[in-house]
């Protein structure tokens, strides 16, 4: 369905509003309320004001990546040394509602999952329009409906098959929304004939429909900001925040942000990001899975920076431990919280499996709490209490660990952050990564962004690691542990065999009703292409919008 905004009455001049066009359907229940005249007027203003700058920032990313591809390495910036060395500045005080974040749960914008996450017992629910949600028009618009209803406490869901009703409990988790990254388009809304930035849609509609409700509850509007790579990108977001606060005549600091440090370039600019966002930022988070993906992507042409199989990379590896400790030191020095990373494990029914899950999660969360993180992430409600117990014991009555500095006795250098770890590079790992990528890409193409696969909650970030590692190993003709050279020919053979494995695992009927042949073809193309696809979700997006 094609519909121009000028079909609705509006306060904007018709000539300006005609630039914004809605191509997605507005006929489903609640869609026109979310995409109301006033909401679209605000979105129009944001896109008009910030769209070109966003495009310039993406162009700069591409240019910077070309330098890395040509042999340069990320490093701390010389032109911002004064910001890092000046220890006198700090971020604005953290609001009371955001000071205790010892356990956060993350998940998609699906209505039932929103209710379950808010009722999980976690301190915070980070509701994700990005990696955990496939950005179909239905998901993006209905996600806004779900979050609006969650904020005004009217959200409910009826599962007719299970004859079960879902409602919020009396003490739900604090809701924080994560918009899409700068790179993702929204093909159902065009401005001057081009898709707008998905992040502006997500940000604008969430603020517009919830800032007044949250103000009545004594809360601001809180966001998680993903995949930043530079202080200039952080400045762009801070300008979006300031513009929005002025547009709605609300106090500066009504918007508060937690920035995910989940790209390799960003780890070298954390002080700078905190500085340019100091009126709005409250925390940074170790987005570990995207960070591993970004490490591979950023250094993909560097023969000496090849990582082992993803399943053998854990936060005790030196380059990841340094990343965690540098984030803690940087944030706490500036008065910001330092959030730990995601445990992607999900509970299983088998007692032995559960024992292993508990052991791995416990080890991970104990390490984070002892290092000085103020809180952590889990992907499943069944692990909230385990993580909470660990942080409760360590914090011993405190809300956070802002007074803690890293246990490291030496300065963390660029070399430490860039030196890869050792680990296995074997056929079994490649085959498993092929299946994970196929399972995830196929589910994503049907609108599911968060998928349980082999005991882990996989989202776009973990699937990205799988396919990026395969591309890099092909590109460098990596020798596997058994002596085989990993080539495009070998990959294609294993890919075909693993498609058959999936058919066996799910059965012929289910397989025939799914889209594995399409996703296998796309996976083949992006894994063997000369040029690396910067994000898996970009070439996959047409499958989602067909």
């Amino acid at each position: 369905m094609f519909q121009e905004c000028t079909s609705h009455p509006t306060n904007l001049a018709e000539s300006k509003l005609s630039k914004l066009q809605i191509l997605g359907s507005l006929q489903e229940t609640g869609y026109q309320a979310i995409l109301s005249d006033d909401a679209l007027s605000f979105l129009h203003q944001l896109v008009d004001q910030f769209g070109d700058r966003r495009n310039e920032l993406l162009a700069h990313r591409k240019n910077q990546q070309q330098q890395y591809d040509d042999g340069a390495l990320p490093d701390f910036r010389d032109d911002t040394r004064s910001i890092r060395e000046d220890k006198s500045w700090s971020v604005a005080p953290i609001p009371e509602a955001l000071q205790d974040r010892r356990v956060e749960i993350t998940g998609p914008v699906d209505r039932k999952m929103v209710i379950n996450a808010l009722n999980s017992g976690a301190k915070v629910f980070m509701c994700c329009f990005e990696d955990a949600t496939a950005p179909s028009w239905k998901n993006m618009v209905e996600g806004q409906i779900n979050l609006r209803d969650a904020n005004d406490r009217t959200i409910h869901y009826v599962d007719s098959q299970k004859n079960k009703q879902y409602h919020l409990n009396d003490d739900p988790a604090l809701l924080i929304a994560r918009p899409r990254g700068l790179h993702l388009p929204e093909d159902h809304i065009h401005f001057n004939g081009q898709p707008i930035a998905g992040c502006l849609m997500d940000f604008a509609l969430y603020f517009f429909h919830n800032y007044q409700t949250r103000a009545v509850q004594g809360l601001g509007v809180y966001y998680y900001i993903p995949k930043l790579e530079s202080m200039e990108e952080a400045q762009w977001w801070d300008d979006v925040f300031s513009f929005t606060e002025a547009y709605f005549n609300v106090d500066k600091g009504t918007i508060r942000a937690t920035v995910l440090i989940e790209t390799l370039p960003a780890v070298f600019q954390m002080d700078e990001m905190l500085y340019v966002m100091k009126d709005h930022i409250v925390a940074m988070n170790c987005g570990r899975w995207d960070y591993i993906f970004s490490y591979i992507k950023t250094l993909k042409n560097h023969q000496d920076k090849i990582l082992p199989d993803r399943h053998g990379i854990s936060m005790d590896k030196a380059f990841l431990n340094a990343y965690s400790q540098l984030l803690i030191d940087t944030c706490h020095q500036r008065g910001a919280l330092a959030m730990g990373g995601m445990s992607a494990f999900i509970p299983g029914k088998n007692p032995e499996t559960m024992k292993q899950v508990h052991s791995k999660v416990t080890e991970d969360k104990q390490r984070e709490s002892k290092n000085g993180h103020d809180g952590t992430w889990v992907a499943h409600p069944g692990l909230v209490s385990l993580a909470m117990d660990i942080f409760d014991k360590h914090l011993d009555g405190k809300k956070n660990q802002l007074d803690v500095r890293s246990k490291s006795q030496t300065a963390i250098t660029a070399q430490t952050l860039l030196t890869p770890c050792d680990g296995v590079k074997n056929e079994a790992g490649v085959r498993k990564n092929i299946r994970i990528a196929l399972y995830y890409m196929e589910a994503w193409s049907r609108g599911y962004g968060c998928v349980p696969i082999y005991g882990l909650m996989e989202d776009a970030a973990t699937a990205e690691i799988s396919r990026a590692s395969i591309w890099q190993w092909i590109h460098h003709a990596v020798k596997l542990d058994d002596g085989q050279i990993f080539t495009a020919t070998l990959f294609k053979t294993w890919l075909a065999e693993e498609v058959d494995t999936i058919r066996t695992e799910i059965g012929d009927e289910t397989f025939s009703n799914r889209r594995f042949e399409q996703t296998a073809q796309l996976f083949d193309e992006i894994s063997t292409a000369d040029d690396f696809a910067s994000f898996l979700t970009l070439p996959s997006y047409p499958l989602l919008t067909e």
Side-chain angles (χ1 to χ4, degrees):
M1 176 181 177
F2 177 88
Q3 183 165 354
E4 290 192 4
C5 292
T6 49
S7 63
H8 304 294
T10 177
N11 294 326
L12 288 181
E14 183 171 318
S15 60
K16 294 188 73 175
L17 195 55
S18 63
K19 296 179 181 179
L20 197 70
Q21 298 170 330
I22 310 299
L23 280 68
S25 171
L26 297 179
Q27 300 307 307
E28 288 76 7
T29 302
Y31 281 37
Q32 290 196 20
I34 289 298
L35 294 156
S36 65
D37 303 330
D38 289 342
L40 290 175
S41 296
F42 172 49
L43 177 59
H44 175 279
Q45 292 289 338
L46 282 182
V47 175
D48 193 34
Q49 183 81 13
F50 296 101
D52 288 345
R53 273 181 63 191
R54 173 253 188 180
N55 295 336
E56 291 168 2
L57 290 168
L58 292 180
H60 178 76
R61 274 190 189 181
K62 187 176 182 179
N63 293 336
Q64 185 65 66
Q65 182 59 55
Q66 187 60 55
Q67 293 182 39
Y68 299 143
D69 289 346
D70 292 341
L73 290 171
D75 204 345
F76 299 100
R77 290 170 58 159
D78 287 333
D79 62 329
T80 57
R81 185 184 302 275
S82 61
I83 294 176
R84 295 193 302 276
E85 293 181 351
D86 181 358
K87 303 305 180 183
S88 66
W89 64 267
S90 60
V91 303
I94 301 172
E96 178 69 25
L98 290 165
Q99 290 184 13
D100 185 351
R101 299 171 61 177
R102 62 191 71 192
V103 177
E104 300 186 348
I105 190 169
T106 71
V109 298
D110 174 83
R111 195 168 183 87
K112 184 173 78 172
M113 291 187 181
V114 167
I115 297 171
N116 286 341
L118 288 169
N119 289 343
S120 66
K123 295 292 184 181
V124 168
F125 169 42
M126 192 279 289
C127 193
C128 180
F129 284 91
E130 204 220 14
D131 279 354
T133 300
S136 66
W137 180 245
K138 179 179 185 293
N139 287 344
M140 295 297 94
V141 179
E142 292 184 9
Q144 293 287 348
I145 295 172
N146 297 339
L147 267 61
R148 178 201 62 194
D149 294 349
N151 275 312
D152 65 21
R153 306 293 177 90
T154 63
I155 190 170
H156 67 280
Y157 177 78
V158 178
D159 188 330
S160 56
Q161 291 185 338
K162 295 182 179 179
N163 193 28
K164 185 175 180 180
Q165 297 191 24
Y166 297 79
H167 300 275
L168 283 189
N169 62 26
D170 292 333
D171 187 26
L174 181 69
L175 181 58
I176 301 181
R178 174 161 72 164
R180 281 169 280 183
L182 281 175
H183 61 286
L184 285 169
E186 176 46 68
D187 202 34
H188 299 88
I189 303 180
H190 284 196
F191 182 80
N192 284 340
Q194 297 297 318
I196 68 168
C199 61
L200 288 178
M201 172 185 173
D202 304 337
F203 169 84
L205 296 181
Y206 183 69
F207 187 92
F208 180 87
H209 289 290
N210 297 288
Y211 80 98
Q212 291 173 312
T213 300
R214 292 179 69 89
V216 171
Q217 299 168 2
L219 301 171
V221 185
Y222 309 140
Y223 293 92
Y224 254 103
I225 302 300
K227 293 182 176 56
L228 299 185
E229 295 191 10
S230 67
M231 68 179 291
E232 287 78 13
E233 294 179 7
Q235 182 68 70
W236 182 88
W237 269 112
D238 198 74
D239 291 344
V240 169
F241 299 160
S242 294
F243 177 91
T244 299
E245 289 166 342
Y247 185 94
F248 290 98
N249 194 28
V250 298
D251 292 340
K252 179 174 284 293
T254 294
I255 298 171
R256 292 303 178 103
T258 299
V259 169
L260 285 140
I261 301 300
E262 54 184 352
T263 69
L264 184 62
V267 80
F268 295 95
Q269 298 188 44
M270 290 190 290
D271 267 310
E272 292 88 337
M273 290 180 178
L274 288 164
Y275 182 78
V276 299
M277 298 184 76
K278 58 181 178 291
D279 291 330
H280 296 105
I281 196 167
V282 294
M284 287 180 161
N285 175 289
C286 281
R288 61 175 75 169
W289 301 114
D290 263 305
Y291 186 79
I292 294 169
F293 161 59
S294 178
Y295 182 100
I296 299 170
K297 177 172 70 171
T298 306
L299 305 176
K300 62 181 180 292
N301 278 11
H302 293 252
Q303 184 85 37
D304 61 338
K305 306 297 183 188
I306 298 174
L307 291 179
D309 181 72
R310 58 165 274 202
H311 295 95
I313 304 174
S314 55
M315 290 301 292
D316 61 346
K317 303 302 182 183
F319 80 108
L320 290 179
N321 187 54
Y323 149 64
S324 166
Q325 294 199 357
L326 181 60
L327 184 142
I328 293 167
D329 274 353
T330 305
C331 287
H332 287 178
Q333 171 69 38
R334 306 303 183 181
L337 298 176
M339 301 301 299
M342 166 68 78
S343 173
F345 289 103
I346 54 179
K349 295 180 180 180
N350 182 286
E352 185 59 32
T353 299
M354 275 304 300
K355 182 178 178 181
Q356 294 175 7
V357 168
H358 272 247
S359 175
K360 291 178 179 179
V361 173
T362 297
E363 179 184 2
D364 181 48
K365 302 315 171 189
Q366 285 180 341
R367 180 187 304 110
E368 288 184 325
S369 62
K370 290 177 181 178
N371 276 355
H373 281 291
D374 300 289
T376 191
W377 275 12
V378 296
H380 193 281
L383 296 175
V384 169
S385 61
L386 174 61
M388 191 74 76
D389 288 345
I390 292 168
F391 270 82
D392 283 347
K393 182 177 180 181
H394 187 80
L395 291 177
D396 193 25
K398 297 191 300 181
K399 294 181 179 179
N400 52 58
Q401 302 194 82
L402 277 170
D403 59 329
V404 171
R405 299 294 182 269
S406 161
K407 304 299 189 297
S408 176
Q409 300 300 309
T410 58
I412 294 170
T413 65
Q415 182 178 357
T416 306
L417 293 164
L418 295 173
T419 301
C421 62
D422 295 326
V424 299
K425 299 184 179 75
N426 59 21
E427 178 178 340
V430 174
R431 287 182 176 273
K432 187 173 183 179
N433 282 327
I434 289 173
R435 293 196 305 278
I436 288 171
L438 286 174
Y439 270 124
Y440 183 80
M441 290 173 64
E442 194 280 330
W444 195 91
S445 75
R446 292 183 291 112
Y448 299 95
C450 196
V451 187
I453 306 173
Y454 301 136
L456 294 174
M457 190 63 75
E458 304 281 355
D459 68 4
T462 48
E464 289 280 29
I465 301 172
S466 295
R467 68 94 183 181
S469 179
I470 286 170
W471 185 95
Q472 188 184 46
W473 289 12
I474 292 173
H475 188 68
H476 291 287
V478 164
K479 180 184 287 189
L480 303 182
D481 294 343
D482 63 2
Q484 294 185 89
I485 302 300
F486 190 55
T487 63
T489 300
L490 187 58
F491 163 72
K492 288 174 182 288
T493 299
W494 290 353
L495 174 62
E497 292 172 355
E498 292 311 313
V499 170
D500 289 338
T501 299
I502 290 173
R503 183 193 294 271
T504 300
E505 289 180 343
I506 66 177
D508 288 339
E509 183 179 355
T510 301
F511 185 91
S512 65
N513 292 326
R514 298 286 176 86
R515 310 177 74 181
F516 285 103
E517 292 182 357
Q518 285 176 285
T519 51
Q521 180 180 352
L522 177 58
F523 188 36
D524 186 357
E525 292 171 359
I526 64 176
S527 298
T528 59
D530 291 336
D531 295 327
F532 182 84
S534 59
F535 289 97
L536 174 65
T537 47
L538 291 176
S540 300
Y541 192 46
L543 291 178
L544 186 68
T545 55
E546 286 177 354

